[in-house]
Amino acid sequence: MTSTASLQSILDKPFVLDLFAGPGGLDVAAHKLEIPSLGIEWDKSACLTRYAAGLNTLHADVSAVRREAFESLPPEINVLAGGPPCQTYSVAGHGAGREALKEVERYIDQLVAGKPDEEIDEDLKKFSDDPRTALVLEPLRYAIQATRSPSRENRPYDVIVLEQVPTVAPVWRHYADVLENQGLPDGTRYKAVVEVLATETYGVPQTRSRAVLIARRVGLGEPSLPEETHHAYVPKQWSRRSEQTEGQVHQPTLDESGTAETEKLLAETGERTRPKPKQRWKSMGDVLRDHGRPTPFLVRSNYGSSGDPKRRGVRTDQQPAATVTGRISRFVVFEHLNECVVHEAARFSMNEAGILQSFPPGYPWSGTAQAQQVGNAVPPAFGMHLLSAALGLPVPDTEVLSEPWPAATEEQQAERRSHGCGAPNTCTDRCPRPQDQVPPPSSRPRRAKKA
């Protein structure tokens, strides 16, 4: 495990509040960095996974906690993180939320201008067809609430870390603009950076793009994006004929590692001021071959590519996985019988799907809709890089994620659930009801069929 005891963070004692925490991707990252965290999650099954993993959890509605129980949160929390539900913004979704992004930006302006919460809530009822659209405002509302909290002595969060699908990048840029130029209603200002990052450049064995925002309160230094540790995967530069060489450890070129004279000087002086050469992106075979998956294999994804839903993407074990979504269990896997013949093999288990998201092997996926939990999660390797960059820590060693995850004991799970649900073995009246989760399947808009 990477210890923060000897590392210089911009904060003396980082403590992360993870909104929309899911099954624990960002919390696993914090755990590996030895940073305490508390996750708020609505979905019961995701909470069951979190309890089984031993993660600190509140089974609750993020909005309800802000309105009714904010003062019960640990006052020492100083890092706000979150990835609001992405279904209404995702290219894979129905897109109603994408049409509302400009409207959301208007509400951002109203919030920092100090418009009362009650008036904002009344206006937000226009998103009743899919209230998840308005949830993208919750991180900002939490940041404002912190400055009005008696239990915190009105102390603002020091660091904010947000991530979402790329279509939300304009909202994060608007966040950054108001945090820097207008500030929160109490006058607190932040320095912020926003970018769309490719997770395979941080050691995640899949191609997945995420829009991220990293902000630091003014006075805590300039924020920066995490340093890439791996090369980007570029399909046009890869072919099956290159599998042999691509399967080898990447050897840096002179452009990447500098001249031989410079390298010799670095070795003699012990200087390590320049970034390490980037590694080759991780492939599916790199991370699965040690967990019982025979190689070589092919994977056909469940969704189309190049704008054609009928064109199913196919990748080999020498490539990163396609973006892992809730449909990961539908990916079809083929194994080679010989050079010319393949046969359909067992599909990815939840353990394998989790490993493709960079979760540790043996992570205790629990409850129902486990594939959806995996697909919705923040890849822990990516989370380690985000938190490290946000806190000014060195580039993390994400290889610690290859160590099996120690599942919580029954006593530990009971303790976590007593705190998260109010009882050691069941949900209580304070937990969100499944029937209240939005939107119910029958109310989701459907795409019109082509004539």
Side-chain angles (χ1 to χ4, degrees):
M1 182 180 295
T2 303
S3 173
T4 59
S6 60
L7 304 181
Q8 187 78 35
S9 168
I10 62 168
L11 305 179
D12 290 335
K13 295 181 179 179
F15 192 141
V16 178
L17 176 63
D18 185 10
L19 308 181
F20 314 101
L26 198 64
D27 301 82
V28 169
H31 175 82
K32 290 297 186 180
L33 294 170
E34 295 190 0
I35 297 172
S37 67
L38 171 64
I40 304 177
E41 174 54 38
W42 177 308
D43 181 71
K44 176 181 177 180
S45 290
C47 286
L48 292 177
T49 295
R50 294 177 61 86
Y51 297 145
L55 300 176
N56 293 322
T57 304
L58 287 180
H59 183 196
D61 177 355
V62 165
S63 300
V65 171
R66 173 181 52 79
R67 291 192 303 264
E68 305 161 11
F70 192 91
E71 295 305 303
S72 68
L73 297 175
E76 60 268 30
I77 288 172
N78 50 14
V79 179
L80 178 67
C86 68
Q87 288 88 342
T88 56
Y89 305 106
S90 174
V91 173
H94 295 288
R98 294 198 300 275
E99 299 174 2
L101 287 178
K102 285 295 182 183
E103 192 72 6
V104 167
E105 291 179 7
R106 185 170 68 85
Y107 287 114
I108 292 173
D109 293 334
Q110 293 179 0
L111 283 167
V112 296
K115 186 172 182 177
D117 279 341
E118 296 77 12
E119 294 182 25
I120 294 286
D121 289 337
E122 187 63 29
D123 287 349
L124 288 173
K125 290 180 180 178
K126 68 174 60 179
F127 295 125
S128 58
D129 287 343
D130 194 343
R132 292 174 300 184
T133 303
L135 293 178
V136 74
L137 296 170
E138 283 298 334
L140 179 59
R141 302 186 83 171
Y142 265 73
I144 293 171
Q145 188 67 25
T147 67
R148 300 169 177 170
S149 169
S151 68
R152 296 180 54 86
E153 299 179 343
N154 303 333
R155 180 169 47 86
Y157 296 121
D158 293 313
V159 173
I160 301 174
V161 181
L162 305 176
E163 66 91 39
Q164 249 297 353
V165 293
T167 48
V168 183
V171 175
W172 290 164
R173 293 190 181 100
H174 201 68
Y175 257 59
D177 180 62
V178 299
L179 289 173
E180 289 190 342
N181 299 313
Q182 294 172 250
L184 304 181
D186 76 325
T188 299
R189 294 195 181 192
Y190 293 81
K191 290 289 187 178
V193 289
V194 176
E195 191 56 84
V196 176
L197 303 178
T199 61
E200 81 271 15
T201 64
Y202 300 97
V204 179
Q206 64 167 298
T207 50
R208 182 188 193 97
S209 297
R210 304 300 287 179
V212 303
L213 174 147
I214 296 176
R216 293 182 186 173
R217 187 168 52 81
V218 168
L220 293 174
E222 292 287 333
S224 61
L225 297 168
E227 176 187 324
E228 293 181 348
T229 55
H230 293 67
H231 287 287
Y233 170 72
V234 183
K236 291 182 179 180
Q237 296 178 4
W238 189 94
S239 69
R240 293 181 186 176
R241 291 182 180 179
S242 65
E243 285 185 9
Q244 274 193 326
T245 56
E246 288 289 353
Q248 299 170 0
V249 175
H250 173 73
Q251 298 297 323
T253 64
L254 286 180
D255 287 340
E256 295 164 350
S257 61
T259 64
E261 290 78 6
T262 301
E263 290 299 315
K264 182 179 179 181
L265 179 62
L266 286 171
E268 291 174 349
T269 62
E271 292 290 338
R272 291 293 181 268
T273 56
R274 287 193 298 103
K276 293 181 180 179
K278 293 180 184 178
Q279 303 174 56
R280 186 191 71 117
W281 35 260
K282 286 188 176 181
S283 70
M284 292 182 280
D286 290 337
V287 297
L288 294 182
R289 66 168 56 95
D290 292 334
H291 299 282
R293 173 64 64 174
T295 57
F297 60 82
L298 302 172
V299 180
R300 186 180 69 210
S301 67
N302 184 65
Y303 38 83
S305 61
S306 302
D308 183 356
K310 295 181 180 180
R311 183 179 177 183
R312 308 295 184 183
V314 176
R315 295 189 182 183
T316 79
D317 61 289
Q318 290 297 315
Q319 297 169 277
T323 302
V324 173
T325 70
R327 297 177 180 179
I328 182 65
S329 58
R330 301 182 190 178
F331 283 19
V332 181
V333 183
F334 300 93
E335 293 176 0
H336 288 267
L337 290 177
N338 54 51
E339 292 185 359
C340 301
V341 180
V342 297
H343 72 102
E344 187 170 336
R347 299 193 180 191
F348 290 135
S349 66
M350 286 304 99
N351 184 55
E352 290 176 311
I355 290 172
L356 293 177
Q357 275 280 52
S358 74
F359 276 86
Y363 196 72
W365 303 102
S366 305
T368 60
Q370 293 180 16
Q372 195 66 49
Q373 291 183 50
V374 175
N376 289 346
V378 176
F382 188 53
M384 289 182 70
H385 282 276
L386 291 181
L387 290 177
S388 294
L391 295 171
L393 294 171
V395 176
D397 176 14
T398 58
E399 291 304 313
V400 296
L401 293 168
S402 63
E403 302 168 0
W405 184 264
T409 65
E410 291 185 6
E411 291 78 12
Q412 290 171 330
Q413 292 186 52
E415 179 185 356
R416 294 292 188 272
R417 193 162 190 183
S418 292
H419 180 256
C421 290
N425 56 5
T426 188
C427 286
T428 65
D429 290 342
R430 80 184 199 190
C431 298
R433 300 183 305 168
Q435 59 266 37
D436 291 338
Q437 296 190 18
V438 292
S442 60
S443 71
R444 293 173 186 166
R446 297 183 177 180
R447 291 176 178 171
K449 293 182 178 180
K450 293 182 179 181

